[in-house]
Amino acid sequence: MTGIFSAFGWALAVMAAGAVVVLRARLERVARAEHELRGPATVLCMACERLRQDPAAQGHAEALEAELARLRAGLADLTAARAGKRRRLAPGPLELERIARSAVAGWQPALESRGREVRIDWRAGRPRLVADRGRLAQALGNLVANAAEHGEGPVELRSDRTERGVRLEVRNGRPSPEAGAERASAALRGGRGLGIAARAARSAGARLELVPERKQVAAVLELPLADANPPVDAPDPTPDAA
């Protein structure tokens, strides 16, 4: 009997050693992929800065800006996850309108090519916000992408001031019944993107709610002003209606 347990123990040890080797190989592949993404991301960021200085190209820079912030945040998350950690937040003062318009600008050509209008109704002014820029770009980027990929009709960005901060809405029309039940359901659930947006919003000190209406779906971000509670990078539930 002792020999059986000894053999079983050796088998477990061999399996554990094999699992460690496989895990190390996977982490090395992740590290290589991360390295190959980081270099182009750095070059793209520098190119975006140059575009910002050219009045004729500022529109292109605006379209790239939010997506580059998302890319850099994602790379930082990947680096931290490889070490079993979470990326440390870097809160700072934000130009909310610039980030929000940038998130929409990247999708505008594709939407307009499909006959879908982009509308912006900005009434929030220039509020003083402090948050992690990458997290906010992730939240807004995923909301706009969800509206563009799963919705119909115009994609609308609305903002207004509230008693405690800013209310941002990304709106799109619901798919018609002819579009199929699967697509209509996807417009409400949003898949992984809305879950990422909810967690990113919480990390940025915001709250995300998905509000289905009769003909539209509104993704609502409530952002506190700079003197409210600081953001906390913690797990967040999926949106209320997701």
Side-chain angles (χ1 to χ4, degrees), residues 27-79:
L27 289 175
E28 178 59 27
R29 288 196 292 271
V30 169
R32 290 175 186 172
E34 176 195 331
H35 178 271
E36 286 306 294
L37 288 170
R38 191 172 301 282
T42 301
V43 173
L44 286 170
C45 287
M46 292 189 294
C48 188
E49 285 301 316
R50 289 196 297 272
L51 288 174
R52 272 279 173 201
Q53 297 169 16
D54 182 355
Q58 284 184 1
H60 299 295
E62 186 176 75
L64 288 171
E65 203 166 51
E67 298 308 314
L68 284 170
R70 285 179 67 190
L71 176 59
R72 295 177 74 175
L75 278 169
D77 288 338
L78 186 61
T79 301

Side-chain angles (χ1 to χ4, degrees), residues 67-226:
E67 298 308 314
L68 284 170
R70 285 179 67 190
L71 176 59
R72 295 177 74 175
L75 278 169
D77 288 338
L78 186 61
T79 301
R82 190 158 50 83
K85 301 177 181 178
R86 285 187 177 181
R87 175 175 74 88
R88 292 181 63 85
L89 295 178
L94 298 177
E95 294 182 44
L96 181 60
E97 183 177 5
R98 178 171 166 176
I99 295 173
R101 287 181 180 273
S102 176
V104 174
W107 281 94
Q108 189 162 351
L111 287 166
E112 290 179 346
S113 71
R114 300 200 297 267
R116 297 180 63 188
E117 188 181 356
V118 173
R119 301 172 183 170
I120 298 178
D121 182 9
W122 194 267
R123 302 184 183 184
R126 301 181 66 183
R128 183 173 177 268
L129 298 174
V130 174
D132 184 278
R133 191 175 189 280
R135 285 286 186 256
L136 186 56
Q138 285 177 325
L140 281 169
N142 276 288
L143 295 183
V144 174
N146 188 65
E149 292 174 342
H150 301 303
E152 288 189 349
V155 171
E156 303 176 56
L157 173 67
R158 302 179 185 178
S159 78
D160 212 340
R161 294 293 289 266
T162 66
E163 185 178 345
R164 294 180 56 82
V166 178
R167 177 185 174 95
L168 275 183
E169 296 183 12
V170 178
R171 290 178 166 268
N172 62 272
R174 285 192 180 191
S176 61
E178 292 77 13
E182 184 176 344
R183 185 178 169 199
S185 178
L188 290 177
R189 294 196 316 270
R192 183 171 292 167
L194 282 182
I196 293 172
R199 287 187 292 274
R202 182 177 175 84
S203 295
R207 185 176 71 88
L208 172 63
E209 182 182 7
L210 197 65
V211 183
E213 299 174 354
R214 191 168 65 88
K215 292 185 178 181
Q216 284 190 314
V217 177
V220 181
L221 271 176
E222 299 279 356
L223 295 125
L225 294 176

